[in-house]
Amino acid sequence: MEGTIYSLIPAVIMLILVLVTRKVLLSLGTGIIVGALFIHDFNIVESLKEVWLVFYGIFVVDGSPNWGNILLLVFLFLLGIMTAFLQASGGSRAFGEWMMKRVKTRAGAQIMTGILGIIIFIDDYFSSLSIGQIARPLTDRHRVSRAKLAYFIDSMAAPVTVLSPISSWGAYIIGILGGLFAANGITSMQPIEAFIMMIPHNFYAIIAVLLVFIVAIFNFNIGPMRTHEDRAVQTGELLDPKQNNVPGDLSDVFEPNKNGRVYHLIVPIIMLFVATIVAMLVTGIQATEGKASIITAFANTNVNLSLFIGGFMAVLTSAIFHFSQKQPRENVGKIFVEGLKTMLPAINILLLAWMVGSVISTLKIGAYLAEIVNNASINVSFIPIIFFAVTLLMSLATGTSWGTFGMMLPIGVEIMMHTDSQLLLPALAAILSGSVFGDHCSPISDTTILSATGAGSNHMDHVLTQLPYAIMSAIIAAIGFLVIGFTNQVVLALFVSVVLLAAAVFVQHLLIAKKTSVN
């Protein structure tokens, strides 16, 4: 069944189940078991062995520890411990009180979150986990629901990093383009030049970022987000009271230290940021034996090791501040235990998501979808929108944008160089856009999981509340790719996309106002 239409069945079952039941662990587990049964033609014993080997492979590869995954898991635990220190030290409360004096409106708190997403552009994992630590005290004070905070974080993570050449994503993509350009004899532009030229073609990422600020400024709440926001404003409940599977929430665990100061929160987060960036540069330079520019350093960096180093330094800084405070102060053992516990829901989901990704890879879902595109005989003007649709489905099913990049960018270059090289950049940008959309909406996406973790939101609340905004952005982006496919005019396509965004928001606003007046 590998590499055929039947390989889609486990992913479809899992996605339907997770949306219907909202039980993400059950749904992911079902997807893993069904996928394993498909791989081994429903041989139960071999399927159970497959499940064990997939789990084992998270931690051990070719007899050696899988340090990338291990370090990321340790970093999540470190982040939980740091969060516990920030809460126990009173730093979170002090920062919230300090910002309340300066940011006096809900819109201001939300806009600040969006601005943080632009400033922290270096890596989607880092952005997802760090923005929540900074913004949450302020958005909590202004009764912004955790679901909306998670939406802001997620929509300013991958979309911003995929638009930045100096980021882990930008460097990765530039690295892929370098090999593809050399293999296909493309000498008219350099990979970094091509990446920069693709930025205005990346319609989904641009629309997603613009929509964040529209939502923040105009309080544009649609779909399930409206329920969460109304409850937060009216009752002060930032989370659905029916959901108890929420990572990173320690508000009821510690009594904040009365001697807490703003720097007890700011300094550890700055340490996290600085130590992570320095580590990324150092590991990137080491990987290239000292011959790296900034771009190539980020292309070859060890992101997970860098996150671990940054997390360790941040926890160490938080601990020093804690011990410097006067008594009474919280027991350190309790801080560590509660910090570790806050990350368990996210880690459980992440482990199962990795297992699903491995099973789906074995089923060759991506290869099947890519083959459809490669063998299709279609009008070249439709290729950008088709690439957008196929990568959207591929990333949605697999939960990985980087894996989709790696598979579809080579196919995109090959097809466009044999059809219409003038549409090369729009086609490649469509691949990037579709991959980011799927990554946004997939319940098994790392970034989706980590954004919910950073915001302290329930995972499925985040998925369902973000979906209407992501779908709106995707429809507008699809029209943009259709326009550019027939005109090859990026300014016109971008203008049409922005006008459509404004029109869609205006129409939705009228519908919401009409519904409110009727009620």
Side-chain angles (χ1 to χ4, degrees):
M1 296 184 182
E2 291 91 339
T4 68
I5 191 171
Y6 299 108
S7 65
L8 297 173
I9 294 175
V12 171
I13 290 174
M14 178 188 61
L15 291 173
I16 292 175
L17 192 60
V18 78
L19 293 174
V20 171
T21 67
R22 298 188 62 182
K23 296 184 182 298
V24 65
L25 297 179
L26 172 65
S27 304
L28 291 174
T30 302
I32 293 166
I33 293 171
V34 173
L37 288 170
F38 271 52
I39 292 170
H40 293 285
D41 298 324
F42 297 92
N43 184 312
I44 295 177
V45 175
E46 292 300 320
S47 298
L48 291 175
K49 288 182 180 179
E50 180 72 22
V51 172
W52 162 250
L53 290 174
V54 168
F55 177 77
Y56 181 75
I58 293 174
F59 302 97
V60 179
V61 176
D62 297 329
S64 301
N66 187 342
W67 287 115
N69 288 348
I70 292 171
L71 288 172
L72 180 58
L73 293 173
V74 174
F75 170 72
L76 288 174
F77 280 129
L78 289 172
L79 186 76
I81 294 169
M82 184 187 77
T83 303
F85 270 118
L86 298 182
Q87 182 73 25
S89 70
S92 295
R93 183 173 68 179
F95 177 79
E97 293 172 350
W98 181 77
M99 287 300 296
M100 283 290 287
K101 297 176 182 178
R102 291 156 178 81
V103 180
K104 300 183 182 298
T105 64
R106 291 185 83 245
Q110 295 172 69
I111 292 169
M112 189 202 76
T113 305
I115 292 172
L116 285 172
I118 293 175
I119 295 172
I120 305 175
F121 61 86
I122 209 71
D123 180 73
D124 61 322
Y125 282 10
F126 182 62
S127 177
S128 298
L129 292 166
S130 60
I131 292 175
Q133 303 301 315
I134 303 172
R136 195 194 306 173
L138 180 62
T139 55
D140 282 1
R141 291 297 185 91
H142 283 289
R143 296 191 174 188
V144 177
S145 68
R146 295 286 181 81
K148 178 175 272 190
L149 178 59
Y151 159 66
F152 286 152
I153 292 172
D154 207 353
S155 294
M156 298 302 292
V160 171
T161 52
V162 82
L163 293 172
S164 172
I166 305 178
S167 70
S168 57
W169 283 50
Y172 173 72
I173 295 165
I174 291 167
I176 293 177
L177 293 178
L180 294 176
F181 283 14
N184 288 272
I186 301 174
T187 58
S188 58
M189 54 184 154
Q190 295 298 312
I192 187 170
E193 180 185 0
F195 181 91
I196 293 172
M197 291 171 66
M198 278 194 289
I199 292 174
H201 298 79
N202 201 333
F203 301 133
Y204 177 78
I206 293 171
I207 296 301
V209 171
L210 290 177
L211 188 54
V212 163
F213 287 97
I214 290 173
V215 171
I217 294 170
F218 298 104
N219 199 33
F220 180 57
N221 303 316
I222 57 176
M225 186 71 81
R226 185 172 180 82
T227 301
H228 283 262
E229 281 291 276
D230 287 346
R231 182 178 58 244
V233 171
Q234 294 168 11
T235 70
E237 292 181 328
L238 307 177
L239 296 158
D240 186 344
K242 299 177 182 178
Q243 299 292 339
N244 56 14
N245 186 20
V246 179
D249 190 12
L250 292 163
S251 56
D252 297 327
V253 177
F254 298 122
E255 177 63 31
N257 193 301
K258 296 179 180 179
N259 298 312
R261 299 290 183 267
V262 172
Y263 68 82
H264 289 149
L265 179 136
I266 295 296
V267 174
I269 289 176
I270 291 175
M271 176 60 74
L272 175 64
F273 183 82
V274 173
T276 301
I277 300 305
V278 171
M280 290 175 74
L281 287 171
V282 171
T283 56
I285 292 171
Q286 288 177 341
T288 56
E289 298 180 350
K291 300 177 182 179
S293 64
I294 291 179
I295 296 295
T296 54
F298 278 112
N300 293 278
T301 190
N302 188 328
V303 174
N304 291 344
L305 175 59
S306 301
L307 288 172
F308 166 76
I309 293 171
F312 177 78
M313 294 302 296
V315 168
L316 182 62
T317 304
S318 300
I320 291 172
F321 284 150
H322 174 76
F323 284 112
S324 68
Q325 289 183 309
K326 296 179 181 178
Q327 295 284 3
R329 55 174 180 255
E330 197 65 64
N331 180 272
V332 175
K334 182 180 179 181
I335 291 175
F336 270 78
V337 170
E338 295 298 333
L340 294 174
K341 285 166 60 177
T342 61
M343 290 295 119
L344 287 178
I347 287 174
N348 289 335
I349 295 172
L350 190 58
L351 288 172
L352 290 180
W354 280 339
M355 293 176 69
V356 167
S358 179
V359 170
I360 284 174
S361 176
T362 303
L363 287 170
K364 299 180 181 177
I365 290 177
Y368 170 70
L369 294 174
E371 185 179 358
I372 292 176
V373 175
N374 213 9
N375 295 334
S377 178
I378 52 176
N379 185 328
V380 69
S381 299
F382 288 103
I383 287 182
I385 191 173
I386 289 174
F387 273 141
F388 178 66
V390 171
T391 52
L392 178 155
L393 292 172
M394 187 184 301
S395 185
L396 182 64
T398 61
T400 170
S401 46
W402 281 36
T404 307
F405 293 157
M407 184 168 294
M408 289 301 298
L409 286 174
I411 293 173
V413 171
E414 181 181 349
I415 290 177
M416 299 317 299
M417 292 306 294
H418 288 85
T419 52
D420 187 351
S421 60
Q422 291 186 339
L423 286 176
L424 174 64
L425 296 183
L428 297 183
I431 291 171
L432 302 185
S433 281
S435 300
V436 171
F437 170 84
D439 185 68
H440 256 178
C441 297
S442 176
I444 63 172
S445 161
D446 291 359
T447 311
T448 301
I449 296 166
L450 296 180
S451 295
T453 302
S457 168
N458 174 267
H459 174 67
M460 283 310 301
D461 281 347
H462 168 46
V463 172
L464 295 175
T465 52
Q466 177 168 261
L467 200 57
Y469 298 103
I471 290 174
M472 179 188 295
S473 300
I475 292 172
I476 293 169
I479 296 171
F481 286 119
L482 197 60
V483 171
I484 202 170
F486 280 92
T487 67
N488 200 18
Q489 297 294 320
V490 64
V491 174
L492 175 62
L494 192 57
F495 175 76
V496 169
S497 299
V498 173
V499 170
L500 286 173
L501 174 61
V505 171
F506 180 71
V507 170
Q508 286 283 347
H509 180 73
L510 289 179
L511 291 174
I512 292 171
K514 182 178 180 180
K515 184 177 179 180
T516 303
S517 63
V518 170
N519 293 336

